[in-house]
Structures are given as C-alpha cells and as structure tokens.
Amino acid sequence: MKPSVRFPVSPTLLRRLAYASIIANVAIVVTGGAVRLTASGLGCPTWPRCTDESYHTTPEMGVHGMIEFGNRLLTFAVGVIALAVLLAVLAQRPRPRGLLPLAIAVFLGIPAQAVIGGITVLTDLNPWVVGLHFLASMAVIAAAYALWRRTVEPDGPAMPTVPAPLRTLALLTTVVSATVLVVGTWVTGSGPHAGDKGAARNGLDPESISQVHADGVFLLIGLSVALVFAFRAVGATRAARAAAVLVAVELGQGLIGFVQYFTHLPGALVAAHMLGSCLVLLATLAMLWSTRERRPVAPENRPSPAAEPVPAAV
C-alpha cells in the first residue's frame, strides 16, 4: 500500500485564513445592505437562478440586477475562503482541540445563509425573513471569530481570569448585545429601506420599536461600563481593556443610530450602522473571550515523542 502524504499547514497561514474569513463575512453583510439600500433586493427576481432562464443577470435587468447578482457572486468568494480554512484545519498537525467543529460550522454556515437569502427573494423580501438572513450572517461571524481565536490561543485548558460573578455579568452583557441585534432587525423591518419598492413591512410602529431598540442600547452601554470598572477593580487589565473597546464601539454605533434616525435614515448612515452592528458583535465576543485564557500544557503533561504519530514517509 502506498503511504499517505501529508501537507502540513503552518499556524501562521491558518490564522491568516481564519482572520480573512471574519473580514469576508463582515464584507458580505455590508454588501447585502447595499443591495437593500439601493432597492436591488429583487434585482434577480428568483432563486437559485437569477431569472427563470438564466443563472446570471441580463442587460435588460439593469443596475439592480448587477448589484444583486454581484452580491450572490461574493457569497461564492466567502465560501471559497471558508473551504480554504476547513482544508487548512484538516491539514493542521497537531490540530488544536475544537478547531475542526468550528471550521465545519463556518463552512456549512455559508450555504445555509445563502439559502435563507434565496428564501428572502422567493418570499418577495418578507421583512422577517430578511431579518433572519442578517442574523444568520451574525451567527457565521461569531463562529468565524471563535475559530480565529482558537488559532491564536495555545492548546491548553481554558482558565478564568475574573471571578465567577463577573463572568456571569459578561455573559449577561453578551446576551443583551445579541438581543439588541435582534430588535434592530425589527426596526429595520418597520422602516423605509425594504429592498424593493413593492416589498412589505413588518407592521410594527417605527417610532415605538425604535424606542425599544434605544432602551436596549442604553442597557447594553450601562452593563459594558460597569464591566470596565468591575474588571479594573479585580486587576483584570486585559478584560478591562476589552470592555473599554466595547464601550467605545457601542458609543460610536449609538451615535450613528441616533443621527440616522433624526435625519430620516439616509442610505450611507444605514450602511455604516450595519457595519457597526458587526463591530459591536466582534467587540462583545472579544470582551467575553477576555474573561478566560488558555494556558500551554505543562511539558510533563504532554505526550512523549514516542507516543506522537510519526509522519509517513513519501
């Protein structure tokens, strides 16, 4: 039997690919917003084809068809990066624990997100499905972030860096952050940017649901500020720094939100707010991860060289 050949991937390359996956998934959220803000949501009126006869746009469909089809093509680019990450993880020797499930989750999340995007088209941009499409992208970004963090951490046990009550507070802040994102999709679904002139709205009162969203933002900022002082009080410098970054991102996002509301939702600010949503999510996850750290396995606890697999000869 011919011996197998291994193609190991350097940890540096894997980290860069994982980081690129985060950037790509954030980019597709922003470009997806551009599709909606330019009223190009039905530029390709069906799915998975762009028209009943063609998988690609036609000149007759104009700029809206080009924008929508371009966003669909970007999905393939994001999928290629996710596939590259998965292959790199499979080739990793030794492979950190938990890395493969995360790589699979990110890779499978791309087609799942695309299918939900297709359903938005088939339902004529139903606002609840559009919101689910956005939240699916947020879930993929979260998985991509977890994957990237796993590539930069040593392969050892995760140890808490703050007391248990503060870890609970950090988790509560993360839940509130996720809730703010969900309510934000309800605000969007009640507003004017439907993605197409004929698309329905969710029927919620824009002013009332915007107030609920704003209340959630105030709660989130309050919790985040409390975390900054609490982490500093226990000497958790890294966690305090991460919480401070989260507060800064939240304040910036909140400022954009208020300005866009009082200026009647100009497209440029809405796009910036969508990017800000991704940054709030990433900053929240960074804060949560800062409450624990992985420490290298002590030499005496590592497998002896004789117990490790020997690469097959070519």
Side-chain angles (χ1 to χ4, degrees):
M1 180 180 294
K2 186 177 180 179
S4 60
V5 182
R6 290 180 180 174
F7 298 93
V9 174
S10 71
T12 300
L13 176 59
L14 179 57
R15 284 195 297 271
R16 289 175 178 173
L17 287 172
Y19 194 71
S21 183
I22 297 175
I23 294 174
N25 279 285
V26 170
I28 202 168
V29 169
V30 177
T31 59
V35 171
R36 180 167 55 84
L37 294 170
T38 57
S40 302
L42 295 178
C44 288
T46 188
W47 188 88
R49 295 175 183 263
C50 190
T51 69
D52 290 335
E53 295 79 24
S54 174
Y55 281 99
H56 57 80
T57 185
T58 62
E60 294 77 15
M61 300 172 69
V63 65
H64 294 308
M66 294 176 60
I67 293 173
E68 164 66 7
F69 183 68
N71 189 62
R72 293 188 183 189
L73 287 180
L74 185 58
T75 300
F76 286 99
V78 176
V80 168
I81 295 175
L83 177 60
V85 172
L86 177 58
L87 294 176
V89 169
L90 289 172
Q92 188 77 359
R93 295 294 187 275
R95 182 185 305 144
R97 290 169 293 180
L99 196 59
L100 183 57
L102 288 171
I104 293 174
V106 173
F107 177 68
L108 294 181
I110 305 303
Q113 190 258 16
V115 169
I116 297 174
I119 295 174
T120 67
V121 174
L122 297 176
T123 58
D124 295 325
L125 306 182
N126 180 289
W128 300 106
V129 182
V130 172
L132 180 61
H133 189 212
F134 173 80
L135 294 175
S137 296
M138 294 295 102
V140 175
I141 291 173
Y145 179 84
L147 172 64
W148 172 72
R149 286 300 298 254
R150 197 67 192 87
T151 66
V152 300
E153 297 173 327
D155 192 20
M159 305 297 293
T161 58
V162 299
L166 294 188
R167 295 200 303 275
T168 301
L169 182 59
L171 183 59
L172 175 62
T173 304
T174 303
V175 172
V176 172
S177 182
T179 303
V180 167
L181 288 176
V182 173
V183 177
T185 66
W186 302 349
V187 176
T188 300
S190 70
H193 298 293
D196 185 80
K197 294 180 179 179
R201 302 284 72 205
N202 60 21
L204 298 175
D205 177 63
E207 184 175 350
S208 298
I209 195 62
S210 295
Q211 184 61 58
V212 172
H213 183 57
D215 292 342
V217 171
F218 287 133
L219 174 60
L220 176 60
I221 293 175
L223 289 171
S224 302
V225 171
L227 282 174
V228 173
F229 288 101
F231 288 154
R232 287 180 176 176
V234 297
T237 305
R238 186 169 67 95
R241 189 184 308 116
V245 171
L246 174 58
V247 171
V249 174
E250 290 166 350
L251 290 175
Q253 174 74 336
L255 177 62
I256 294 173
F258 276 108
V259 172
Q260 73 170 3
Y261 179 79
F262 289 109
T263 55
H264 308 291
L265 304 175
L269 286 181
V270 174
H273 200 58
M274 293 186 70
L275 174 60
S277 297
C278 298
L279 297 181
V280 168
L281 172 64
L282 292 171
T284 301
L285 294 175
M287 177 278 300
L288 184 63
W289 252 258
S290 72
T291 63
R292 30 74 79 204
E293 65 178 3
R294 290 187 181 273
R295 299 171 183 172
V297 179
E300 60 271 15
N301 295 328
R302 293 175 180 169
S304 63
E308 296 182 352
V310 178
V314 179

